[in-house]
Amino acid sequence: PINYKSKYLFVTNHTKISLTIMKATISIPENLNEITLGQYQHYLNVSKNLEGDDLAQRTVSILCDIKLSDITMMRLADVREISEHLNLLFSMDQELETSFNIKSQEFGFITSLDNISFGEYVDLDKYLNDWETMHKAMAVLYRPIVRRLDDKYEISEYNGSDAFCDIMRFMPLDVALGSIVFFYRIANELLKATRNFLVKQTKELITAKGRNSISNGDGTTVSMHLQEEMLEHLKKLPDFELPKLLHI
């Protein structure tokens, strides 16, 4: 926990750290489950050109959901300490959460990535690489659960991301990060498996060409070029690193 000077009232309950300064109370997140995807998107958008104490002030304001005018009543040391605490939250590993609730609605992670539809894949490819559209990507990966039996569930059919993308701005940030990490791990495994398959197939084609002295090799050359194009397309999957707050 963060230690504050005795002039402030420091209160810790099960999920929140609260700091009361005069008439303003700050609820400081103890984990990323207490920060929404929308808050983080807003933070990235408004803090692009900020640095130092201006960035620290904005960080506390957005992620602790407090007015900037209230932060001016705080000690500079405390603003810096809270911002450092928030930054540390992003160093924690995030696991895949298959379901979560926004108010009374339960959302479930897409049940089978092996059977992902073309429309789902195209939208993920379009939205998953930009934090400004991450809420739309989440509306592809998570959809309302329409039927559940113990740990098994069925989600609604995919009809585009527009129906639930705005709601996804309110999803917990740790759930969003966990799903992104999981998806990229699967994508990287697919890339490795495909690369090994293409290398093996290419060797077999070369061997077959060597055994067949009648063949002029044209078919083999075309096939190898096609494989190279497939591999290059897979290599375009962006490298993913767990996002952090901007340097303070």
Side-chain angles (χ1 to χ4, degrees):
I2 304 174
N3 295 318
Y4 295 96
K5 299 297 183 179
S6 58
K7 67 178 290 186
Y8 302 126
L9 175 62
F10 177 65
V11 180
T12 302
N13 54 38
H14 294 295
T15 59
K16 293 283 187 180
I17 301 174
S18 297
L19 176 64
T20 300
I21 308 171
M22 298 181 184
K23 294 182 180 180
T25 300
I26 305 176
S27 294
I28 306 170
E30 284 191 302
N31 54 66
L32 296 183
N33 187 263
E34 300 168 26
I35 299 173
T36 68
L37 172 60
Q39 280 178 289
Y40 185 65
Q41 288 176 307
H42 179 50
Y43 165 81
L44 292 177
N45 185 51
V46 304
S47 59
K48 292 177 182 178
N49 300 318
L50 298 178
E51 59 183 17
D53 292 326
D54 290 334
L55 178 58
Q57 184 184 45
R58 185 70 67 168
T59 299
V60 175
S61 173
I62 295 174
L63 301 187
C64 294
D65 194 20
I66 182 174
K67 296 178 181 179
L68 283 172
S69 58
D70 290 333
I71 294 180
T72 60
M73 298 185 293
M74 297 174 59
R75 292 192 320 150
L76 175 61
D78 291 323
V79 174
R80 289 175 175 174
E81 192 170 3
I82 295 173
S83 65
E84 290 174 2
H85 162 76
L86 293 170
N87 208 10
L88 286 175
L89 299 183
F90 286 80
S91 64
M92 302 177 184
D93 293 334
Q94 307 299 330
E95 300 295 330
L96 175 67
E97 295 288 341
T98 57
S99 64
F100 68 94
N101 287 78
I102 298 180
K103 294 186 177 181
S104 60
Q105 179 62 63
E106 185 178 21
F107 292 85
F109 189 74
I110 187 169
T111 51
S112 178
L113 287 175
D114 292 336
N115 296 319
I116 189 171
S117 70
F118 180 75
E120 289 169 323
Y121 173 79
V122 168
D123 285 349
L124 277 176
D125 186 56
K126 179 167 55 175
Y127 299 135
L128 200 58
N129 301 324
D130 189 342
W131 276 101
E132 290 187 2
T133 57
M134 193 60 70
H135 58 296
K136 294 185 177 181
M138 291 300 108
V140 182
L141 292 177
Y142 289 94
R143 300 203 288 279
I145 294 178
V146 296
R147 189 176 295 105
R148 174 186 279 279
L149 179 62
D150 298 326
D151 293 336
K152 297 181 179 180
Y153 58 82
E154 179 184 346
I155 59 176
S156 61
E157 293 185 3
Y158 185 65
N159 295 308
S161 63
D162 290 345
F164 302 104
C165 64
D166 289 336
I167 297 175
M168 289 300 167
R169 294 184 187 274
F170 298 95
M171 73 183 295
L173 182 57
D174 66 329
V175 177
L177 292 179
S179 67
I180 297 169
V181 171
F182 177 81
F183 183 83
Y184 272 91
R185 284 174 181 168
I186 294 297
N188 286 332
E189 289 176 6
L190 174 61
L191 174 59
K192 292 177 183 178
T194 303
R195 181 187 291 117
N196 293 337
F197 171 76
L198 292 180
V199 169
K200 179 181 177 181
Q201 191 178 41
T202 299
K203 289 181 178 178
E204 291 176 352
L205 286 169
I206 293 174
T207 301
K209 177 185 176 183
R211 288 199 302 263
N212 189 353
S213 59
I214 300 177
S215 172
N216 59 17
D218 290 343
T220 302
T221 303
V222 172
S223 179
M224 290 176 63
H225 285 168
L226 177 60
Q227 292 174 37
E228 290 173 357
E229 290 177 4
M230 291 169 59
L231 186 57
E232 287 303 315
H233 176 73
L234 285 171
K235 285 181 179 179
K236 292 179 182 179
L237 287 171
D239 293 330
F240 175 77
E241 295 182 358
L242 192 67
K244 295 179 174 58
L245 300 184
L246 299 179
H247 180 67
I248 296 173

